[in-house]
Amino acid sequence: MLVTTAWRDEIEALLSRAMDDLGFTRVDQSVSKLLHYLKTISGQLALRVAESHNSAAAAVGLGIVTAYLQAKGRLAQAVLVPVDSSPRIFSVSGSGPTAEGERRCDLVLISLKRNIVDATFIEVKWRRGSTPLESLAATMCVQMESSADIVRARFFDPARIDGSLQRAYLANVLRFYFERARRYGLLAAGSETPFLEHLAKLEKAGIEFRASYEGYIVSLDEKPRRGTAQITVLTAQDIERMAEFGTVNIRQVYEPTEGDGEDETEATDVTIADSRYPIADSQASAEIVVEVGETTAKIADSQYPIANSQAAAEIVVELGETTAGRVDWKPSIKGSPHLFIIGIPGQGKSWTTTRILTRLGEQHVPALVLDFHGQFADPSGPFAQRVGATTIDAAEGLPFSPFEAMTTNGKTDWKINSQGIAEIFAYIVNLGGIQRDALYNAIMDAYKARGFGTGDTTGLTYPTPSDVLRCIEHRERDRRVSNISARCRPLLEMDLFTPESGHPDLLSMVRRGLVIDLHN
């Protein structure tokens, strides 16, 4: 992202106005420093200032809290993640937009230890003048707790089959903000290597997630308050003590009154009525610890351990040797986990692929192999001998039906399945838009003929390929759409799909290692 000089001038003008409203003076000397702190978190935050005056005031609060955390040494060994700039992490569905009823905090400070993720969820509010803070603090706690629940369910729920993949996605995001923190010089010397080492192991099973909560209210006019909850009021004196803002004069500096004691200048806490987060001091935080053991997923009434929980902590594939010694490959799901093997005939592509898949299988990483030449399906071959994967000869029929629909929350998604199959078939046989729509409706007709769409789907059987072909022909006659049945006939009439009663589902077979032999 590039921010031109004109944009920077406009953003600084908006920040200056917001800082002035909040009670800052000599803003011209501090606004560029505030913008610097916003950019250390996210360049998007700086651009968001232009949305409204409230956005600018909220940005001032975030910048002040970031400066405060750095002054306290909190950013030396941790990564600060802005929630609104990473919406795909902090949504239940992973799609980004906030669902109805979802609440999010502003920042998450994440530090990594051996098999432990410490996440401090931070909410920032700004106020001018004396404000009743108890109800405000309670709202902040709801926002922080909601964000923590989303992260826990998305990345650290031991029942999630895709937990390793989700944590790998989280690791990529953390790596991005780690690089940003390193670029801005926030990390302490010696902390970078351990952080990256722990980050590389984030996707493995058995990671412990610890959540704590800190709220900050930027209110220059407030008096320091003392309480038991981790809601900190940043007052004028707190901000003046920061080195970056030391030259800033702030209006209405709090004058201590009799009885405030010797610690009146320290940033203190505000009491929350009936708080669920009792915290004695800034070092003790309310933690929610999730105990994660060996995880299994129940599939088709059988227990199959999740592949990644069985695999070794580090997967090593020996590729071969050079004059310099042995060459190992350590595959990972972080970054872009794709491999492309290219070469003229006879250079070893097939042998290399066999070597990789065999070594992965020996380390409990299963593979789905689409075998066009029969080498992996050969029972006397090295892959079959050493891995023992299941082999299906496609020439004899695939033992599953494409019309088997998923059931989600008790609802069978046969309509969604109809759309998906129509899209796939249309791509394979090159149908136009009107033909594809007719095919979609024909598949729907086949489901309806079996009783789908009338309520309870218990005990219903799925349509067969011949059922669908008849419905396509019927649609062609009624709608005067041509050439759909002729193009789809090879997929529906050649016994490509031969579902067997009681046969394991496809996912279960893939988990054990599966070769689909296409060479016949």
Side-chain angles (χ1 to χ4, degrees):
M1 182 187 65
L2 299 176
V3 180
T4 67
T5 303
W7 270 101
R8 182 183 177 93
D9 291 343
E10 180 179 351
I11 291 171
E12 286 190 350
L14 293 169
L15 286 174
S16 297
R17 193 179 313 146
M19 293 177 75
D20 183 70
D21 290 344
L22 286 173
F24 287 80
T25 60
R26 298 174 65 181
V27 171
D28 57 321
Q29 297 184 15
S30 58
V31 67
S32 61
K33 297 174 183 176
L34 181 69
L35 184 57
H36 165 79
Y37 279 107
L38 287 176
K39 289 169 62 180
T40 63
I41 310 173
S42 169
Q44 294 181 27
L45 291 179
L47 288 182
R48 203 167 292 153
V49 168
E51 292 179 359
S52 67
H53 177 68
N54 282 343
S55 297
V60 171
L62 290 175
I64 291 297
V65 169
T66 303
Y68 178 80
L69 293 173
Q70 184 175 358
K72 293 290 185 179
R74 301 285 300 282
L75 306 184
Q77 295 179 325
V79 168
L80 192 61
V81 179
V83 171
D84 285 342
S85 296
S86 305
R88 292 185 180 274
I89 290 182
F90 300 98
S91 66
V92 175
S93 63
S95 60
T98 305
E100 184 177 356
E102 272 188 23
R103 305 290 298 275
R104 293 176 182 172
C105 61
D106 290 309
L107 304 167
V108 182
L109 185 65
I110 296 180
S111 62
L112 303 178
K113 302 172 185 176
R114 182 180 177 86
N115 297 330
I116 297 174
V117 174
D118 275 323
T120 303
F121 294 83
I122 299 172
E123 174 62 17
V124 180
K125 301 291 186 186
W126 56 271
R127 289 295 183 270
R128 183 75 203 276
S130 181
T131 305
L133 301 181
E134 283 71 20
S135 60
L136 177 62
T139 300
M140 296 168 71
C141 284
V142 171
Q143 291 176 263
M144 294 184 287
E145 182 185 40
S146 178
S147 297
D149 289 342
I150 290 173
V151 172
R152 183 182 297 106
R154 173 91 183 274
F155 300 104
F156 300 98
D157 181 0
R160 285 197 67 139
I161 295 176
D162 62 344
S164 294
L165 291 175
Q166 294 293 341
R167 287 190 296 277
Y169 175 73
L170 175 63
N172 280 338
V173 175
L174 293 181
R175 188 172 290 104
F176 171 83
Y177 286 103
F178 168 84
E179 294 295 341
R180 192 177 194 90
R182 179 159 60 181
R183 187 164 66 249
Y184 280 96
L186 302 180
L187 298 170
S191 66
E192 297 179 4
T193 299
F195 188 94
L196 288 175
E197 289 176 351
H198 295 313
L199 193 62
K201 302 175 182 178
L202 186 61
E203 65 263 25
K204 73 176 184 179
I207 298 294
E208 185 176 325
F209 174 67
R210 298 178 179 177
S212 58
Y213 310 88
E214 294 181 12
Y216 293 90
I217 302 172
V218 178
S219 181
L220 307 189
D221 301 332
E222 287 288 342
K223 297 180 181 180
R225 304 190 188 186
R226 189 178 304 279
T228 58
Q230 193 73 358
I231 302 294
T232 301
V233 181
L234 294 181
T235 65
Q237 290 186 5
D238 297 311
I239 297 172
E240 280 189 321
R241 285 198 298 271
M242 296 181 202
E244 291 291 286
F245 296 92
T247 61
V248 181
N249 294 325
I250 304 177
R251 294 196 294 271
Q252 300 182 4
V253 174
Y254 164 64
E255 296 293 337
T257 58
E258 184 177 357
D260 282 335
E262 296 180 354
D263 298 329
E264 70 274 7
T265 59
E266 293 295 323
T268 52
D269 302 325
V270 60
T271 303
I272 303 176
D274 300 324
S275 170
R276 285 171 291 174
Y277 311 110
I279 298 174
D281 53 56
S282 61
Q283 298 300 317
S285 57
E287 295 179 352
I288 300 176
V289 180
V290 180
E291 297 292 339
V292 181
E294 184 175 359
T295 310
T296 60
K298 189 172 184 180
I299 302 173
D301 298 323
S302 298
Q303 295 289 333
Y304 297 106
I306 291 176
N308 209 61
S309 66
Q310 278 197 336
E314 184 177 55
I315 305 299
V316 180
V317 175
E318 182 184 355
L319 296 179
E321 294 185 357
T322 70
T323 54
R326 173 173 149 172
V327 178
D328 289 337
W329 175 48
K330 300 177 182 179
S332 172
I333 55 177
K334 66 184 180 182
S336 180
H338 304 291
L339 175 66
F340 182 54
I341 301 175
I342 188 171
I344 63 174
Q347 281 195 325
K349 298 186 301 296
S350 298
W351 173 251
T352 301
T353 304
T354 302
R355 178 77 170 223
I356 291 173
L357 293 182
T358 301
R359 290 292 292 123
L360 289 175
E362 291 172 344
Q363 296 174 79
H364 305 289
V365 180
L368 168 62
V369 182
L370 306 181
D371 188 357
F372 288 88
H373 302 288
Q375 67 189 77
F376 296 96
D378 182 1
S380 62
F383 181 73
Q385 289 285 324
R386 299 174 66 176
V387 176
T390 301
T391 298
I392 294 176
D393 187 349
E396 298 178 0
L398 301 173
F400 56 85
S401 169
F403 306 109
E404 180 179 346
M406 293 180 62
T407 300
T408 307
N409 298 326
K411 180 180 178 183
T412 304
D413 297 332
W414 59 278
K415 293 182 180 179
I416 297 175
N417 199 52
S418 299
Q419 181 67 44
I421 295 172
E423 293 283 348
I424 295 170
F425 276 36
Y427 178 80
I428 294 173
V429 302
N430 193 25
L431 297 180
I434 295 177
Q435 292 173 316
R436 182 175 66 244
D437 183 67
L439 173 61
Y440 163 63
N441 283 285
I443 297 173
M444 294 269 286
D445 293 341
Y447 275 108
K448 292 175 183 177
R450 293 277 179 165
F452 288 84
T454 59
D456 186 14
T457 60
T458 304
L460 297 181
T461 58
Y462 294 110
T464 65
S466 58
D467 291 339
V468 174
L469 185 58
R470 284 194 298 270
C471 289
I472 293 173
E473 293 170 343
H474 186 270
R475 280 272 168 181
E476 284 181 322
R477 288 193 301 268
D478 287 358
R479 304 296 179 182
R480 297 183 180 179
V481 182
S482 59
N483 296 328
I484 305 176
S485 58
R487 294 188 182 187
C488 292
R489 197 177 304 277
L491 293 171
L492 299 171
E493 241 185 17
M494 303 300 179
D495 296 327
L496 175 61
F497 302 103
T498 56
E500 302 173 7
S501 177
H503 196 279
D505 62 273
L506 186 62
L507 180 60
S508 300
M509 291 188 288
V510 170
R511 287 189 174 280
R512 305 171 190 172
L514 176 63
V515 178
I516 297 183
D517 182 7
L518 302 170
H519 87 281
N520 290 323

